[in-house]
């Protein structure tokens, strides 16, 4: 499986990417700090999971997440944020998961396992 991490804070992006790699759930983990770069990446490289920050400059993570779900419905979308108050909105957009920062290897593994189990049910 492949993952793309999107966060506008360089340190946080590196931390999320590191945790995804350490989880051993993914064959590749890429990252970007800009939604336009993420969109270009997704157009050229199919991924199984997108881990997306909500508070992004320009296009909000919620708006960008909705674009991802519409254009790539098979890609699992997991919001990663420091704010729990966006959870309801995220799930109304049909996000597959929601993690609060800082994320851990256990959080990533649990979310990936849950999402994969849900996909197998349907």
């Amino acid at each position: 499986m492949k993952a793309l991490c999107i966060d506008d804070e360089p340190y946080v992006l590196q931390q999320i990417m590191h945790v995804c790699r350490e989880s051993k759930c993914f064959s590749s983990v890429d990252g970007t700090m800009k939604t336009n770069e993420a969109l270009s990446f997704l157009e050229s490289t199919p991924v199984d999971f997108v881990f997306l920050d909500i508070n992004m400059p320009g296009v909000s993570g919620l708006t960008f997440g909705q674009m991802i779900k519409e254009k790539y419905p098979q890609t699992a979308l997991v919001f990663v944020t420091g704010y729990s108050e966006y959870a309801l909105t995220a799930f109304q957009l049909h996000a597959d998961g929601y993690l609060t920062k800082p994320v851990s290897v256990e959080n990533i593994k649990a979310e990936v396992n849950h999402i994969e189990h849900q996909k197998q049910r349907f």
Side-chain angles (χ1 to χ4, degrees), residues 4 6 31-44 64:
L4 176 63
I6 308 164
T32 183
M33 296 182 350
K34 298 179 180 176
T35 55
N36 62 337
E37 290 176 1
L39 191 56
S40 294
F41 185 88
L42 289 168
E43 288 172 355
S44 65
F64 190 62

Side-chain angles (χ1 to χ4, degrees), residues 1-6 26-31 37-51 68 71-76 119:
M1 289 191 298
K2 296 179 181 181
L4 176 63
C5 303
I6 308 164
F26 307 103
S27 59
S28 70
V29 177
D30 291 284
E37 290 176 1
L39 191 56
S40 294
F41 185 88
L42 289 168
E43 288 172 355
S44 65
T45 309
V47 300
D48 303 289
F49 281 78
V50 170
F51 294 92
I68 291 171
K71 195 164 185 173
Y72 307 100
Q74 298 303 317
T75 299
K119 284 183 178 181

Side-chain angles (χ1 to χ4, degrees), residues 2-116:
K2 296 179 181 181
L4 176 63
C5 303
I6 308 164
D7 197 297
D8 64 316
E9 296 179 44
Y11 174 78
V12 176
L13 176 61
Q14 291 303 315
Q15 190 266 340
I16 294 168
M17 291 173 63
H18 173 75
V19 170
C20 284
R21 288 182 181 121
E22 288 294 308
S23 74
K24 307 268 192 259
C25 294
F26 307 103
S27 59
S28 70
V29 177
D30 291 284
T32 183
M33 296 182 350
K34 298 179 180 176
T35 55
N36 62 337
E37 290 176 1
L39 191 56
S40 294
F41 185 88
L42 289 168
E43 288 172 355
S44 65
T45 309
V47 300
D48 303 289
F49 281 78
V50 170
F51 294 92
L52 175 61
D53 184 26
I54 288 180
N55 286 331
M56 298 288 291
V59 177
S60 80
L62 291 169
T63 300
F64 190 62
Q66 184 175 10
M67 291 168 50
I68 291 171
K69 289 305 288 181
E70 289 171 2
K71 195 164 185 173
Y72 307 100
Q74 298 303 317
T75 299
L77 174 64
V78 179
F79 285 107
V80 182
T81 184
Y83 305 96
S84 60
E85 65 264 19
Y86 295 112
L88 179 59
T89 304
F91 286 113
Q92 288 172 337
L93 296 175
H94 304 288
D96 299 285
Y98 193 95
L99 295 171
T100 55
K101 297 175 185 175
V103 295
S104 67
V105 170
E106 292 78 22
N107 295 140
I108 294 292
K109 284 182 177 181
E111 203 68 18
V112 168
N113 288 336
H114 174 74
I115 292 167
E116 287 298 301

